[in-house]
Amino acid sequence: MFGAADPGQAISQLEAYYHEGRGERVEVMASALVDQLMAVKSRSDEVQEILVRALRILSAVLNSRGKYLQARSTIGLLHKHRKKYFKSSGSYDPNLAASDYHLGGFIHANANKKSAAKKSFAKCEKLQPGHLAAALDVAEQCGYSKQLAKLYPSAGPVRSMNGAYVLQIGSNPPADARRVGNILGGETQRKIELEITEIMSQEQAADARMKAAVDSLVPTHDYHSYSTN
């Protein structure tokens, strides 16, 4: 599909389509780009990095389109070629690798391979300690909540972030607070709900103060109602 097109331009176009949610087109294009780059016997680090990005997109889009067996095969290739790229380039990014294992956890779980999913989520959290979102996902996807219960005390209080109520450890990906509460239940769930209620009250009070401040700037007299001589 890409022919002699520059791989750098091809991956940029592919990523743009992926972010636009054009699933079917992305799958076709990503498959073609992966096949094209895999056929290159001696790849530079730059081309190897593009192959990794293409495999990452292909894994995600296959998973989102319900093609779980193909997605499992592709995520395996992603891990293999990412490791090869890290080794040859000396550019190691544990957070990026953790993100790939996080995706892999969902793929294996969707394929009903719970053991593989659990291992993938665990690898994610090992590479990025304190990854509460991965601990939540393995609890929901695999019924294993031990790691979530272990990490929860390190998360601190609930925070409001982009319209959602989350728990977060350091700069790691946040986890939805209510979903954490639903898994852990009991006193933990009650504590989380109280914290959310308190935040909501604070936000409502802040909104009320803002409205009052805006209203105070509105003239109380309609000067246009006065007649002029």
Side-chain angles (χ1 to χ4, degrees):
M1 174 174 286
F2 293 101
D6 174 64
Q9 294 179 351
I11 192 65
S12 295
Q13 183 182 34
L14 179 60
E15 288 173 339
Y17 285 152
Y18 176 69
H19 291 303
E20 291 172 4
R22 300 169 70 172
E24 183 176 1
R25 185 176 184 84
V26 168
E27 181 186 339
V28 172
M29 292 177 65
S31 296
L33 182 57
V34 166
D35 288 344
Q36 177 183 322
L37 298 181
M38 291 282 281
V40 178
K41 293 183 179 180
S42 182
R43 291 183 290 272
S44 66
D45 287 344
E46 180 182 3
V47 172
Q48 182 69 17
E49 191 260 348
I50 291 171
L51 173 60
V52 170
R53 288 160 64 187
L55 284 166
R56 184 172 293 121
I57 289 175
L58 184 57
S59 298
V61 78
L62 287 170
N63 181 58
S64 67
R65 302 193 72 221
K67 299 182 178 182
Y68 305 130
L69 293 180
Q70 290 174 261
R72 290 192 75 208
S73 175
T74 306
I75 198 73
L77 287 173
L78 171 58
H79 293 323
K80 175 183 176 180
H81 286 284
R82 185 194 62 250
K83 291 175 182 177
K84 183 176 180 179
Y85 169 69
F86 284 168
K87 183 177 181 180
S88 64
S89 68
S91 176
Y92 180 67
D93 186 342
N95 291 347
L96 190 59
S99 179
D100 290 342
Y101 281 106
H102 195 192
L103 171 61
F106 283 109
I107 289 172
H108 294 310
N110 287 333
N112 204 30
K113 302 295 182 180
K114 302 298 183 182
S115 178
K118 184 178 175 182
K119 290 178 181 178
S120 193
F121 284 127
K123 184 69 172 178
C124 167
E125 207 275 325
K126 182 178 180 180
L127 287 166
Q128 198 171 354
H131 198 306
L132 195 66
L136 171 60
D137 291 328
V138 74
E140 291 180 331
Q141 299 293 323
C142 305
Y144 177 76
S145 60
K146 183 177 179 180
Q147 187 66 9
L148 182 62
K150 178 181 177 181
L151 291 179
Y152 166 72
S154 301
V158 175
R159 298 168 51 196
S160 178
M161 181 184 293
N162 299 323
Y165 301 110
V166 303
L167 292 162
Q168 186 176 25
I169 299 175
S171 60
N172 289 312
D176 183 271
R178 280 203 165 102
R179 287 166 55 200
V180 171
N182 289 339
I183 292 293
L184 298 181
E187 185 59 35
T188 297
Q189 185 173 25
R190 287 190 287 273
K191 181 175 182 290
I192 288 172
E193 289 298 332
L194 284 173
E195 290 176 359
I196 291 174
T197 299
E198 182 178 354
I199 293 172
M200 291 175 66
S201 297
Q202 292 172 352
E203 291 175 337
Q204 289 169 358
D207 289 343
R209 288 194 297 271
M210 178 64 73
K211 183 178 185 302
V214 171
D215 289 345
S216 70
L217 299 176
V218 178
T220 57
H221 299 288
D222 183 359
Y223 294 103
H224 295 287
S225 66
Y226 292 98
S227 60
T228 58
N229 295 325

